[in-house]
Structure formats: C-alpha cells, structure tokens
Amino acid sequence: MMLPLRILRCSPYALLLMLVTSCGIGLGSSHLRAADANDVDAMPTFKLANNMTVPMIGLGGCSGVRYNAVKSAIDIGYQFIDTAQAHSWGYHEEEVGQALHDAKRRYQDNNDDFVFVQTKIHPQDLGYHSTKKAIQLSLDRLQVTSLDSVLIHKPRCWGDICSHEPEGTWEDSWRALEEAVDSGLVRSIGICDVDNRLLDKLLSKRIAPMVIQNWFDPFHQDKVFRRRIESINKEQDKLGKVDKKILYQGYSTLGNQWKYQGYEENPVMTSIRLLAIAKKHGVSIPQVLIQWATRRGVMVLPASNNPSHQLSNLKSYDFTLTEKEMASIDALDGKPPQQLHKERDTNEVDIQFTNHASDGPVDVFWVDSDEGHVHVGSMQEAGATLSLTSYHGHSFVFKKSGANDGSLLNRHIVDKSFGSTQNHQIEDESEEL
C-alpha cells in the first residue's frame, strides 16, 4: 500500500512536490535553450506504417495549450504536436496551425525538418459526410493542404459530450478516413479509446489503424491491450515490414484522468514511490514517467504552457532508470492509492512528527517492503514538524541528516487505535534501539 502524502512542511520534498504537481509537468531551468543534439539522439522514435518516423515525445494540446506554448515548443525542439477539434476539451487547433504556419515547419514547407501534427475529429462528427467536412475544417484551421495524422477522438458519444446526434458511426468515419489516405489528404489515421473488441473490427478494415491513443499512466497501464499491440509490431519486425505496425500513444500519462474517477488529488504526481525514484536521480516525476513510458513502447504527449517545463520533458534521457526502478513502476498498475478517494479510508491517520531528537536536521523515512527506506521529508531543526497522512501499520524511521552509518534515532509504527489525528514527539532513542 502506498503512503499518502498531503503536507510536508520544512522539507525539500514539499518544495519538489509543489513544483511537479502543477498541471502534471516537469521541472525546468531558468536558463532556456533549444534541446541539443544529445537530447534528440537519445529520444526514441517509431516508424509508422506509412514509413514516416516520429519521436516518442510530443506536446499535448489539451489543458489550454495555445499559440505561444506551441511556438515555444517548436523553438525548443519539439517535432510532434497533438491537437484536436474540440474546444470544449481545451484544444485550440487553429492556434496550433498559426504557430506552425509562422514557424514554416509544416510538411510542405520543409520535408526534411518539419513538425508532425496530429488532430482528432469530435465524436459528434462521426459519419461519412460529417468526417469529410471535419477533415476540411482541420485543413483550414491548420492552414495546410494535407494532414499528418487524424484520429477519431472517441468511437461513440455518451452522456452530454456531443451537442448533437452524430450522422453515423465510427465505421462510416473510418471509410472517409481511408479515402482521405487514398487521395493524399491524410498521411496516417487512428482512433482513441480502443479495446480488444474494437481492435478486432479495426484490423479487418482495408486500412488498419496506424495510431491508437488510450489512457495510460502508472496506475492504469492497459497491459493486456498493449501486449497485443506489441505482438503485432514484433511480428512486423520479424517480417522486416512496417505496413501493419501500430503506434500506441498514451494520454493522461501524468495522471490527470484520476480526477474523473473520484480522486481529489492526482495519485501519480503525489506517489511516494515515484518521488523517491525522481529524487534519487535529481529529476522530476514527469521526467521519470516519460522515460519509463517510452522505454515500454508508449508515446507520451504531456501538455505544457511553460517553456522550462517543455524543455525539461524533452530532457528525460539525461539519466537512466534501473531495471529495478522500471519494474517498480510497472508494479503500480491497478493500485491507485486509496487515500486520495473523496471518502476517507477507515485506516487513514493524520500524523504530525516533531523533532526533539536533534538540534540539526532529521530525515524521515517510510519503510516500504519493496523499496526499503523511502525518504519522505526532513525536520530541519529542533521543534520543527513534519505533517503527513498515513495508514494503520505503516512504519517510519528517523535518522540524522547526512548520517551514512545506518544508525537510527527512533522508529514509529502507526496505530489507528490512538485516533485518526495524532502528534508524536520524536526523541533520540538510538541507545535503546
């Protein structure tokens, strides 16, 4: 069970957590520059079924990403922009188009160094004729004569996401997309939110999907479906072909989808396990996730309006996750921390530790059976406090900051029988231990 953290006062952890939880984006540098050749060389790529090669990191266009953000991303070195027609979902397709037009980095401007743009058709425009009109809308908004990639945003309407009943089905739309590929209007096609049943139907089409975009994050890894995509791609590799390969893209890889699942906080950006890995390498949680996901064959599309965050995300290969760390993130699948649900867990305990063990800083570690001692914060001086939310049975140890001999000042095991809110004075009991 993961340790939930809500407030960590007077600790480096608190500062890092505050920085990385904003919009699910990475830490940046005050000195910005374009990504250098090493960044580009380290970034993995994928060859699409149409023989076009794309980077495995792109700029996501939701969350209100607009002209200036797209322009800064292009200047920094992004070569893939993901957008959509749905203004109601935070996309601004026409501003993406203007930024790319002004940068003169479209396919027809420069075939050797262009920025690949992917857009998506709203489900209310499902249907053969509606999709043809939607394709023209994107051509106009993006100010181009052809589109790099077009996805069906959702295979159906539900609830109130559509303002009107669509003309037809996703299959009608697919026929229109196939014809757009035939005519050269569109270079690659795909669809979002696909399961195995839908994939069966897609694979029977005249033109199979080249791109599939599904929800993917550490707690929702879509493993069964991804294994099927991996199997298809490996078979293509054995045959020395690419014409049936499928690029798997993840959306909400930094955990934003959990707010729609009844969570008040983002469990990805507040995961102690992920934070411990990030702290070890001196990077951010987004950088850890970008490297982990792309090494697992998933293209990521983090949205960011901040140039420093954009650059940080591109530089997610300046360090190397160990296989143990990779496996540790894999093991998070299907285990979102329960403490972030709106209904409070009956075993949850709010704890405040106070430093009476040392005049100097005391480091606090959560004892995790998988990871050993995970650093969760520090109490910088005598009388300083550290507040967090934990569970019955969780264990903590306390050490003098910088101590390398493994000696403990104290240890504490959470006991719910003392109440849901507890205060503990941490004394130096090293001689007794």
Side-chain angles (χ1 to χ4, degrees):
M1 182 179 291
M2 294 297 296
L3 172 71
L5 178 74
R6 289 191 179 156
I7 304 172
L8 285 175
R9 288 180 285 187
C10 303
S11 78
Y13 182 99
L15 176 60
L16 180 58
L17 182 65
M18 178 178 66
L19 288 171
V20 302
T21 52
S22 175
C23 299
I25 45 187
L27 298 179
S29 165
S30 59
H31 177 65
L32 291 179
R33 58 167 179 77
D36 60 27
N38 291 333
D39 301 324
V40 175
D41 291 342
M43 189 185 306
T45 59
F46 186 93
K47 181 172 279 193
L48 294 169
N50 61 10
N51 277 303
M52 297 178 77
T53 298
V54 295
M56 293 289 278
I57 303 176
L59 177 71
C62 64
S63 306
V65 170
R66 308 192 74 154
Y67 177 90
N68 287 336
V70 178
K71 183 178 184 303
S72 70
I74 296 168
D75 292 342
I76 287 167
Y78 278 76
Q79 293 184 296
F80 192 109
I81 311 292
D82 177 73
T83 187
Q85 295 184 347
H87 288 141
S88 59
W89 295 343
Y91 292 93
H92 297 275
E93 185 182 38
E94 63 276 22
E95 295 192 34
V96 170
Q98 189 62 50
L100 269 294
H101 176 269
D102 292 348
K104 299 191 183 303
R105 293 286 298 281
R106 296 298 292 119
Y107 182 77
Q108 52 261 55
D109 296 324
N110 188 335
N111 286 359
D112 297 324
D113 186 30
F114 74 99
V115 176
F116 191 103
V117 179
Q118 175 172 276
T119 192
K120 298 183 281 293
I121 296 171
H122 197 288
Q124 68 192 21
D125 294 320
L126 292 175
Y128 178 79
H129 295 290
S130 295
T131 294
K132 283 189 171 289
K133 290 178 182 177
I135 290 171
Q136 187 58 53
L137 175 64
S138 287
L139 288 167
D140 294 340
R141 284 179 172 178
L142 293 171
Q143 304 182 49
V144 292
T145 57
S146 59
L147 301 168
D148 299 324
S149 178
V150 179
L151 310 186
I152 296 173
H153 212 151
K154 305 290 178 185
R156 66 190 64 83
C157 291
W158 75 92
D160 59 357
I161 70 164
C162 295
S163 62
H164 59 264
E165 189 71 21
E167 169 203 50
T169 67
W170 73 265
E171 291 185 275
D172 299 321
S173 291
W174 198 260
R175 185 160 56 93
L177 290 175
E178 288 176 326
E179 291 180 8
V181 172
D182 294 338
S183 68
L185 273 183
V186 176
R187 280 177 275 281
S188 51
I189 58 176
I191 188 168
C192 307
D193 293 330
V194 180
D195 57 18
N196 275 307
R197 210 163 107 186
L198 180 53
L199 183 58
D200 288 336
K201 295 179 180 179
L202 286 161
L203 293 177
S204 71
K205 298 302 180 185
R206 182 169 61 84
I207 300 179
M210 303 176 197
V211 180
I212 284 175
Q213 191 180 112
N214 278 4
W215 172 19
F216 171 86
D217 70 34
F219 299 114
H220 188 276
Q221 295 181 28
D222 200 18
K223 283 182 177 177
V224 173
F225 184 81
R226 280 174 44 232
R227 287 191 190 106
R228 187 174 177 190
I229 299 297
E230 288 170 6
S231 177
I232 292 170
N233 292 342
K234 284 179 181 177
E235 185 62 29
Q236 286 284 286
D237 288 337
K238 286 180 184 178
L239 296 171
K241 297 181 177 180
V242 298
D243 60 295
K244 295 188 185 302
K245 273 197 167 185
I246 300 172
L247 171 61
Y248 182 101
Q249 294 177 339
Y251 68 78
S252 296
T253 302
L254 305 186
N256 297 333
Q257 278 296 306
W258 290 104
K259 67 182 180 181
Y260 303 113
Q261 308 297 319
Y263 284 69
E264 292 179 322
E265 297 177 87
N266 182 338
V268 172
M269 299 306 295
T270 53
S271 165
I272 283 207
R273 183 164 301 178
L274 294 176
L275 181 74
I277 294 172
K279 283 172 65 70
K280 175 184 171 183
H281 293 282
V283 298
S284 68
I285 287 178
Q287 288 175 299
V288 167
L289 293 180
I290 288 168
Q291 185 179 139
W292 165 73
T294 53
R295 282 174 59 180
R296 290 294 185 243
V298 177
M299 182 179 181
V300 293
L301 301 161
S304 174
N305 286 292
N306 187 313
S308 64
H309 297 155
Q310 292 172 353
L311 177 60
S312 174
N313 290 340
L314 274 193
K315 294 176 68 62
S316 293
Y317 303 96
D318 289 354
F319 64 101
T320 303
L321 295 172
T322 66
E323 287 303 319
K324 182 179 179 182
E325 289 166 340
M326 292 284 289
S328 176
I329 301 173
D330 291 341
L332 293 174
D333 189 32
K335 303 174 185 177
Q338 295 178 1
Q339 82 278 1
L340 294 177
H341 277 302
K342 292 180 180 179
E343 291 185 10
R344 187 179 177 92
D345 191 294
T346 56
N347 287 316
E348 193 174 286
V349 179
D350 291 329
I351 295 179
Q352 183 179 83
F353 296 122
T354 303
N355 177 16
H356 289 298
S358 170
D359 290 335
V362 171
D363 289 329
V364 183
F365 297 84
W366 169 47
V367 182
D368 177 7
S369 58
D370 293 330
E371 295 292 317
H373 292 177
V374 178
H375 185 253
V376 296
S378 302
M379 297 176 288
Q380 295 297 324
E381 56 192 14
T385 62
L386 178 72
S387 298
L388 50 83
T389 301
S390 187
Y391 282 95
H392 177 76
H394 275 185
S395 180
F396 296 87
V397 295
F398 306 83
K399 304 178 184 180
K400 280 189 178 181
S401 294
N404 297 316
D405 59 1
S407 60
L408 305 181
L409 291 169
N410 205 323
R411 66 172 71 243
H412 179 79
I413 298 176
V414 179
D415 186 341
K416 178 63 188 293
S417 66
F418 291 106
S420 60
T421 302
Q422 301 177 18
N423 293 285
H424 297 282
Q425 313 297 313
I426 304 304
E427 309 281 351
D428 182 357
E429 298 180 2
S430 54
E431 293 184 6
E432 299 176 26
L433 296 173

